[in-house]
Amino acid sequence: MKSLRFAAAFTAASLVLAASVTTRAQQAPPAQTAPVGPLAPEKYMDIQVLKDVPADQLDLTMQYFMAATGFTCGQCHVRDQATGAFTFMADTRLKTTARQMIQLVQTVNAGSFGARINCATCHQGRNQPAGLQPAQMFTADQLAAMAAQQAARQGGAPGGAGAAGAAGAPGGRGAGANQTPAPPIDDVLNKYITAIGGQAAIDKQNSRVMSGTLVNRSGQSMPFTIEEKGAKIRESITTPQGTNVSVYDGTAAWAQAGETIGDLPGFRMQQASRLNDLRRAAEIRTRYQNLTAARPTRLTLTPGAAPIDVNLLQGAPFAGVTERLYFDANSGLLIRRQIITRTPLNGTLTEIIDYSDYKDVAGVKIPFTIKRNNWNSLDVLTVVDVKPNASVDDARFVKPAK
């Protein structure tokens, strides 16, 4: 139970690391891999319905429940008001209901209904599913579009003009035959490396210290510092309650909030490790398994903004995880990473990291604005100062003794 209590204590701190919104996947996420290691009942007490979930994915499963239903840990689990620790053995009405809902999902997915569901199928991030919405009056534009579509289906548009959506028109049935094929992976990567300064300039930077301001979804502004050295990264954020630190040392991750220090295993370790951008350009082929290229597409980074032509690469940084890399087709720069993590019960968690405002630092272009968005947090990091090849002591990545 100690590991579960500590995981709950670090929920807020570790979510600062993440990034994502729920966007439609262009390709299906990878199938869930077979369980490796002990199952949840072998490591944790009072596991009544998640008996086939691997122990190292239980925290990931709880993260998904929060994202899918909008609930927090304390709304289902009983917290001791004096110590702040959770009493996981105590049952509540909400916990009982949650178990019934989990069993419902398991029953549907095990049946022959021709469909698979997850918590978000109905809840979509809310405690109470939205249900059927009242019909709204059609606008004039909607009525005109409907008339054009009906005319096209009947063989011609009003006035004899070809209707939008007809075969051969953009978005019509004939459009697929003229789609641009996927570019070679090497062409996309070489253009990216050239765009940020070239291989030689990249190889000269072995460490980096960045500092600036982080603004969260509540509008709070907080100083941050990111220290990178090889595959290691240490991120410090000064909050009103104190400094939160998260570290990936190249093989494992840990976090500190105030006087509390602990490991970040499994999914949280993955979140911490993927924030290291120092060597990403040079190591894309080794960081991602089964790297493939998709057809060029268009990407709208913010609502109302003009769409951008992009090239898309996709690979697997971890088992059960799909990451999509979006490169500006004109500049070659990486502008978005979308990370989709498959969870038990057929659900997924999506994170997005956007990069913009690239500036030259010692011959290498670095994004000075980084936006991290997920199911729970939205953080915009504005870089103010960058020190390339700064002296970073390896001791900065070592977990302090408790």
Side-chain angles (χ1 to χ4, degrees):
M1 298 309 296
K2 180 179 179 181
S3 57
L4 258 183
R5 283 195 293 271
F6 189 80
F10 270 93
T11 294
S14 62
L15 283 177
V16 172
L17 303 173
S20 134
V21 290
T22 50
T23 57
R24 180 175 297 177
Q26 296 180 356
Q27 299 180 34
Q32 182 71 9
T33 55
V36 177
L39 298 178
E42 300 175 56
K43 186 175 180 180
Y44 301 104
M45 300 175 64
D46 201 32
I47 302 297
Q48 298 185 23
V49 293
L50 297 174
K51 296 181 179 180
D52 58 348
V53 172
D56 63 0
Q57 291 189 30
L58 187 62
D59 178 62
L60 171 61
T61 303
M62 296 298 152
Q63 291 278 340
Y64 174 70
F65 289 161
M66 289 193 294
T69 66
F71 267 46
T72 62
C73 304
Q75 288 176 276
C76 283
H77 298 289
V78 176
R79 186 193 293 270
D80 187 290
Q81 296 301 314
T83 66
F86 285 107
T87 305
F88 291 102
M89 293 292 291
D91 279 342
T92 65
R93 181 181 60 84
L94 288 176
K95 187 189 291 188
T96 300
T97 301
R99 287 180 175 136
Q100 293 171 343
M101 293 295 100
I102 294 169
Q103 289 172 325
L104 170 65
V105 171
Q106 292 172 331
T107 298
V108 172
N109 290 342
S112 56
F113 301 100
R116 289 178 61 80
I117 66 172
N118 54 53
C119 307
T121 303
C122 296
H123 284 273
Q124 300 181 4
R126 296 181 293 267
N127 174 24
Q128 295 294 333
L132 299 177
Q133 300 301 303
Q136 302 293 322
M137 293 293 292
F138 287 120
T139 66
D141 289 342
Q142 288 174 323
L143 289 171
M146 292 167 62
Q149 291 171 358
Q150 183 176 8
R153 286 195 295 268
Q154 294 174 350
R173 294 181 180 179
N178 298 320
Q179 288 181 330
T180 305
I185 295 175
D186 284 343
D187 288 0
V188 177
L189 294 182
N190 290 339
K191 187 172 183 178
Y192 173 42
I193 290 174
T194 300
I196 63 174
Q199 190 66 53
I202 295 171
D203 289 341
K204 290 179 182 179
Q205 294 197 7
N206 300 310
S207 65
R208 183 166 63 199
V209 177
M210 300 187 296
S211 59
T213 302
L214 179 152
V215 178
N216 63 19
R217 64 186 298 195
S218 299
Q220 294 176 303
S221 180
M222 298 168 282
F224 77 85
T225 300
I226 296 175
E227 303 164 73
E228 298 172 289
K229 185 176 183 180
K232 304 174 182 179
I233 180 169
R234 176 188 176 106
E235 182 168 314
S236 306
I237 301 172
T238 304
T239 74
Q241 292 74 37
T243 301
N244 290 338
V245 177
S246 61
V247 175
Y248 176 68
D249 67 7
T251 57
W254 57 273
Q256 180 172 0
E259 299 299 319
T260 307
I261 303 171
D263 296 324
L264 297 177
F267 175 63
R268 297 170 190 267
M269 183 276 291
Q270 294 178 16
Q271 286 184 295
S273 68
R274 57 172 153 259
L275 298 181
N276 187 317
D277 289 320
L278 179 64
R279 298 288 300 167
R280 184 172 307 281
E283 298 174 354
I284 285 180
R285 283 194 173 277
T286 57
R287 288 194 186 193
Y288 303 98
Q289 300 297 312
N290 304 316
L291 194 65
T292 59
R295 287 191 297 266
T297 185
R298 308 199 82 190
L299 180 67
T300 301
L301 291 175
T302 56
I308 301 172
D309 292 322
V310 295
N311 292 317
L312 171 62
L313 300 183
Q314 176 174 291
F318 300 97
V321 180
T322 296
E323 184 164 334
R324 300 188 178 110
L325 307 171
Y326 294 85
F327 300 87
D328 187 313
N330 294 316
S331 69
L333 295 171
L334 177 65
I335 58 175
R336 170 170 288 182
R337 293 167 55 210
Q338 181 186 38
I339 305 104
I340 303 171
T341 302
R342 172 71 67 181
T343 73
L345 296 185
N346 197 44
T348 58
L349 289 174
T350 304
E351 307 163 61
I352 285 183
I353 304 177
D354 286 340
Y355 303 97
S356 60
D357 191 23
Y358 277 82
K359 297 179 182 179
D360 186 282
V361 177
V364 176
K365 286 187 177 179
I366 296 172
F368 271 59
T369 300
I370 303 171
K371 183 170 74 172
R372 302 172 182 169
N373 193 196
N374 71 2
W375 57 94
N376 185 72
S377 63
L378 174 57
D379 299 324
V380 178
L381 288 75
T382 301
V383 177
V384 175
D385 181 66
V386 181
K387 294 181 173 60
N389 288 320
S391 178
V392 181
D393 194 332
D394 286 331
R396 297 287 290 166
F397 307 101
V398 177
K399 184 175 73 171
K402 294 182 180 179

